[in-house]
Amino acid sequence: MRVPPYTLASLVIAYGGILKGFDTGAIGGTIVMPNFTQTLGALSPEFQGFTVALIMLTGGIPAIYGGQLADRFGHLWVVAFGALFYMVGSIMEAAAFQLAVFIVGRALTGIGMGLWLSNVNNYICEISPKRSRGTHTAMQQMMVPLGIMIGYFVCYGTQHISTSLSWRLPWALQAAGCLPLLLLCKTLPSSPRWLLLQHRRHEALRNITSLGISRQEADEDILRFDEDSQDNVPPRSGLHADAAEDAPEGRPQKSPSVLKLMFRSGFRARSFLAFFLLFMEGLCGIDGILYYAPILFQRAGLPETTSGFLASGVSAILMTVISIPAIVVPDRFGRRFGVIAGAAGLAVCMWIVGGLYEAGVVHDYGGARWVVVVFIFIYALWYCATWAVSGKIYASEIQPRETRAVVNNIATGLNFLANWIVSFVTPIFLARSTSGAYFLFGGTCSLSALVLFVYMPETKGQPLENIDGVFERSVWESFTHSMRVPKLRRKAEDGERDLPLPASEGEREREKQGKTER
């Protein structure tokens, strides 16, 4: 069976997830190695949190502005530039003989990760057909646990080296791992949707062919609202309709800026929903669990650092295994299930573990420590199977193409900020009140599940250019609509009858308006 070129392109660009995961798996272990403390000094809990979390702090700002850079230069150039920053930062970490150099290296690494990570999902989302967009966009997240596993076991192996190479080697390997991402970006075709926005229609059509997207799929999805096509001019609606109505008669229409567009009526809700979703995904505590997994397992009573590394590595293996089938969750069960059920499940795990610590029953003996270990495993696995996959897909695909890059990148920047907060406060909480960290994460997950249950409509199976209609329905209508569309489409394809797919009132009104104008 021939693998479609758009699937290969998605896999190639998703490789960046391995680099992100490697840093997550390596940093918590390297900074507590004896040779690290001998070379750069021991870190207090506050400074340990700052060092680990700095990559998120410096990654947030370029993540926010990465969308504007991508709108101008294209996703692939920004990803390649980010990989270069990431490589330089990793080299500085590996070569550091002073803590200040190591800190600057982590800062540069964060800038690079913010640039590329914020654009990878946008690129995959824009080159993937609607029927498999969720699966393809989830590929990067599938790579992250693989990187975490590699990072954990590299540290598990290098900790036995008697020189400073024990903590330098992981960062040298990370720097070398940036080269494939940097070079492969030159081989991938630019997003056809981005080319259409640049009014480069012929290049867009050529890239549609090179990506293996059929003309029927392109006409139904990518080219549906192509403004440069004389045969496919959609009726003005939403933002552009407002701009046209506001323009004085006889003057050319002036499009509002992207920052104004994303806060206009009709699109404001989508922007804030993406911001809330990715910010709360960071506050759920996953980075606190992953960065400090060796410490958490030691707190639960597992003996010695080696046992903590081993337990962390085993969890990373299981996370990698579960991430493979989990990439079909968004397209099979819908985005709402992945996000809402994910948040609820994470909350249960955190409340149980926090309750055990608050009750004072967790010791280095007895069964309570194993309950803590098991629920940390369940937490990490459930996150990989649900929220990690569906959240970033949803935040990207609900935006109109004019604002998708900027809104999604701002949301990614907020996710970086939330991850920085979690990474910074976790060691401080652990030094003062272990249960407090778990209760904090349990509370944020519970709040997220409640808010998203009320305000998050389903987008499963919808073309990107048809998301407007989803937000014109109620949340319940969008959910039932997403369940009916695949059945009607299968019946139509089987030739039972010419079944029209259900449309919202807004979609029908725009169709009627378009016919009147023509």
Side-chain angles (χ1 to χ4, degrees):
M1 180 179 177
R2 182 174 176 268
V3 179
Y6 56 77
T7 299
L8 294 176
S10 299
L11 278 171
V12 167
I13 201 72
Y15 165 77
I18 294 180
L19 297 176
K20 178 184 185 297
F22 188 95
D23 184 275
T24 302
I27 185 61
T30 54
I31 62 176
V32 297
M33 287 183 181
N35 286 310
F36 181 91
T37 58
Q38 290 174 12
T39 306
L40 303 182
L43 306 180
S44 66
E46 291 81 5
F47 206 72
Q48 184 184 72
F50 173 80
T51 302
V52 171
L54 183 60
I55 192 173
M56 295 298 171
L57 181 62
T58 58
I61 296 176
I64 291 174
Y65 287 100
Q68 297 179 52
L69 292 174
D71 281 344
R72 182 172 181 180
F73 301 107
H75 304 92
L76 296 175
W77 278 104
V78 179
V79 171
F81 197 57
L84 181 61
F85 263 92
Y86 200 83
M87 183 171 66
V88 172
S90 300
I91 292 173
M92 292 184 67
E93 289 178 89
F97 279 94
Q98 293 182 342
L99 184 59
V101 177
F102 188 85
I103 295 296
V104 172
R106 284 200 66 71
L108 290 177
T109 302
I111 292 173
M113 187 168 71
L115 284 173
W116 103 61
L117 200 64
S118 59
N119 282 288
V120 167
N121 282 340
N122 284 343
Y123 176 77
I124 297 176
C125 189
E126 292 191 0
I127 67 170
S128 302
K130 60 186 177 183
R131 69 176 185 277
S132 59
R133 187 172 63 243
T135 299
H136 284 87
T137 310
M139 286 179 178
Q140 178 179 232
Q141 184 56 44
M142 180 185 69
M143 299 291 189
V144 173
L146 177 60
I148 294 173
M149 180 185 69
I150 296 171
Y152 278 145
F153 279 106
V154 166
C155 289
Y156 179 69
T158 62
Q159 67 172 326
H160 301 291
I161 300 175
S162 59
T163 66
S164 64
L165 191 63
S166 60
W167 63 268
R168 296 184 190 277
L169 183 58
W171 306 119
L173 293 175
Q174 180 170 283
C178 295
L179 281 173
L181 181 62
L182 182 61
L183 298 176
L184 288 172
C185 282
K186 300 289 291 181
T187 68
L188 298 176
S190 296
S191 161
R193 284 184 169 93
W194 176 77
L195 290 171
L196 289 174
L197 281 177
Q198 306 302 311
H199 305 288
R200 293 156 63 179
R201 177 177 170 79
H202 292 296
E203 290 181 64
L205 294 175
R206 185 170 65 246
N207 284 5
I208 285 172
T209 302
S210 65
L211 285 167
I213 301 172
S214 70
R215 186 55 192 255
Q216 180 181 353
E217 290 174 321
D219 287 339
E220 293 176 355
D221 195 355
I222 299 173
L223 299 175
R224 184 179 179 187
F225 290 159
D226 175 17
E227 297 174 356
D228 289 337
S229 172
Q230 299 300 317
D231 301 324
N232 190 22
V233 180
R236 285 193 179 111
S237 62
L239 303 173
H240 296 290
D242 294 342
E245 291 171 3
D246 294 340
E249 187 175 353
R251 293 188 184 179
Q253 175 183 330
K254 181 180 179 181
S255 297
S257 69
V258 175
L259 292 177
K260 290 182 179 179
L261 286 180
M262 67 184 186
F263 292 118
R264 282 202 171 187
S265 176
F267 292 83
R268 186 186 306 119
R270 282 185 262 182
S271 299
F272 282 116
L273 184 57
F275 298 159
F276 177 84
L277 176 58
L278 291 195
F279 184 72
M280 297 305 287
E281 181 184 327
L283 283 187
C284 77
I286 186 62
D287 271 22
I289 299 298
L290 297 180
Y291 277 131
Y292 302 104
I295 300 173
L296 294 176
F297 283 116
Q298 290 174 54
R299 285 294 182 92
L302 294 184
E304 300 181 359
T305 306
T306 300
S307 297
F309 270 127
L310 183 59
S312 302
V314 170
S315 66
I317 292 175
L318 295 177
M319 288 162 58
T320 302
V321 171
I322 200 170
S323 294
I324 297 173
I327 65 174
V328 304
V329 167
D331 288 329
R332 182 67 182 267
F333 299 103
R335 280 59 160 163
R336 275 177 59 85
F337 171 82
V339 172
I340 298 171
L346 298 180
V348 170
C349 294
M350 293 293 95
W351 287 116
I352 290 175
V353 175
L356 290 174
Y357 276 108
E358 185 66 20
V361 298
V362 182
H363 307 289
D364 57 0
Y365 57 87
R369 61 174 178 165
W370 293 110
V371 175
V372 170
V373 171
V374 167
F375 273 99
I376 290 176
F377 271 65
I378 294 174
Y379 173 93
L381 296 178
W382 190 243
Y383 174 84
C384 289
T386 56
W387 206 346
V389 176
S390 299
K392 293 180 177 64
I393 297 171
Y394 188 83
S396 179
E397 70 183 2
I398 64 174
Q399 309 305 326
R401 69 178 184 175
E402 295 90 346
T403 63
R404 182 177 300 120
V406 173
V407 171
N408 190 54
N409 284 57
I410 293 175
T412 303
L414 291 173
N415 182 258
F416 271 82
L417 175 62
N419 286 330
W420 174 77
I421 294 172
V422 168
S423 302
F424 182 74
V425 304
T426 296
I428 300 175
F429 267 110
L430 293 176
R432 291 168 172 77
S433 170
T434 304
S435 62
Y438 292 105
F439 285 150
L440 172 64
F441 302 150
T444 56
C445 291
S446 299
L447 175 64
S448 300
L450 178 62
V451 171
L452 294 170
F453 179 80
V454 175
Y455 291 107
M456 179 181 175
E458 182 60 73
T459 57
K460 170 189 171 186
Q462 294 292 334
L464 291 179
E465 285 72 17
N466 198 38
I467 298 295
D468 285 10
V470 173
F471 281 83
E472 291 172 357
R473 307 182 185 96
S474 68
V475 171
W476 175 249
E477 286 175 336
S478 71
F479 176 74
T480 55
H481 177 270
S482 70
M483 296 296 104
R484 294 200 309 271
V485 167
K487 295 179 182 179
L488 292 173
R489 185 173 287 117
R490 283 196 298 270
K491 288 182 179 180
E493 290 174 353
D494 292 341
E496 292 186 15
R497 56 191 175 97
D498 188 14
L499 290 171
L501 298 180
S504 69
E505 291 297 327
E507 289 168 329
R508 288 193 286 268
E509 183 63 31
R510 281 195 295 274
E511 289 177 6
K512 198 179 300 181
Q513 180 184 354
K515 291 178 181 178
T516 302
E517 290 183 356
R518 286 193 290 271

